[in-house]
Amino acid sequence: MKISVLTPSYNTGKYVERAIQSVINQRYESFEHIIVDGGSKDDSLAIFKKYDHLIWISEPDKGQSDAMNKAFNISTGDIIVYLNADDEFAPNAFTEIITAFKNKPDTDMVVGNLVYIHPQGSNIRVPSHKYSDIVQYWLNLFPNNPVSYFYKRKLQEKVGEFPLDDHYAMDIWFLLKAYRKFKIVKINKILGTFYSDGKNKTAVSDVGFHLHEVVKKHLKNENQPLLLFFYFKLFMGRIKTSK
């Protein structure tokens, strides 16, 4: 199985080499690493040029979702994974993933654990494989970072392109659709590390608002009035508890 690693990038020179090296260190032969850069002004391009195996382009784009769509359209792998430029894979992550897909050939997506490193410390995030769990996004049971899930190419082909008007919650937009209609398998293995320095996009945006809007719209579009009712009941209960 060929793995396509897709990385959106913009002015990520201070950490993108760590991400590149984490792919190389997998010691897995059948892979491609595609970087779609938005026209960086720092030393990112000089770093890309150091690695002959990279497939990369650098041009203005319409944001992260656009870069992710471009990367997928270039890719040729059987298995897809997105690796943000400031994150990294754990050792042997590819081997664990390929083993999981081979053990259960009808699997569409494999989800693992990840290390979350933030200014206050670090912890292990253990996502769920259940659709009803990830709808309740505030429980942090959805995969918080794409480094922790790999999926078959057909899944993204059927779900469609990431929306260009949302660069904050496109991950859960995709995951809700995937969990709703495809077979998800959970493995108890750490697949990578998600870094948050308190200054990246996840940290400085109102992620909760974006997640809420995406989940609400998804449930309406999926014509699930009962689940939508319970979602709002749980959501309002969460609001009251937090006050």
Side-chain angles (χ1 to χ4, degrees), residues 104-162:
K104 296 183 178 180
D106 60 338
T107 297
D108 295 310
M109 175 186 285
V110 177
V111 177
N113 305 334
L114 75 157
V115 179
Y116 176 43
I117 297 179
H118 49 89
Q120 289 73 43
S122 65
N123 58 281
I124 305 296
R125 290 283 175 88
V126 181
S128 172
H129 66 286
K130 297 179 180 179
Y131 175 69
S132 58
D133 285 339
I134 72 163
V135 166
Q136 301 174 68
Y137 65 85
W138 55 87
L139 298 178
N140 274 318
L141 291 176
F142 69 93
N144 293 132
N145 188 284
V147 75
S148 65
Y149 54 91
F150 294 61
Y151 52 87
K152 290 180 178 175
R153 180 177 202 86
K154 68 175 184 180
L155 193 156
Q156 189 165 343
E157 289 174 342
K158 292 182 178 179
V159 168
E161 293 192 334
F162 292 97

Side-chain angles (χ1 to χ4, degrees), residues 55-72:
I55 302 168
W56 63 274
I57 60 173
S58 181
E59 62 187 18
D61 57 36
K62 298 176 182 178
Q64 186 173 350
S65 291
D66 190 23
M68 293 167 71
N69 291 334
K70 286 182 180 180
F72 178 74

Side-chain angles (χ1 to χ4, degrees), residues 62-100:
K62 298 176 182 178
Q64 186 173 350
S65 291
D66 190 23
M68 293 167 71
N69 291 334
K70 286 182 180 180
F72 178 74
N73 290 333
I74 294 171
S75 70
T76 60
D78 309 294
I79 306 299
I80 303 296
V81 63
Y82 284 90
L83 172 65
N84 291 334
D86 51 348
D87 300 321
E88 64 178 324
F89 289 116
N92 299 316
F94 288 11
T95 299
E96 299 289 358
I97 285 296
I98 295 302
T99 299

Side-chain angles (χ1 to χ4, degrees), residues 3 36 51 77 89 91 100 111 132-134 155 183 192 195 207 224:
I3 297 176
V36 175
Y51 296 93
F89 289 116
V111 177
S132 58
D133 285 339
I134 72 163
L155 193 156
K183 182 171 181 178
Y195 291 91
V207 176
Q224 298 185 76

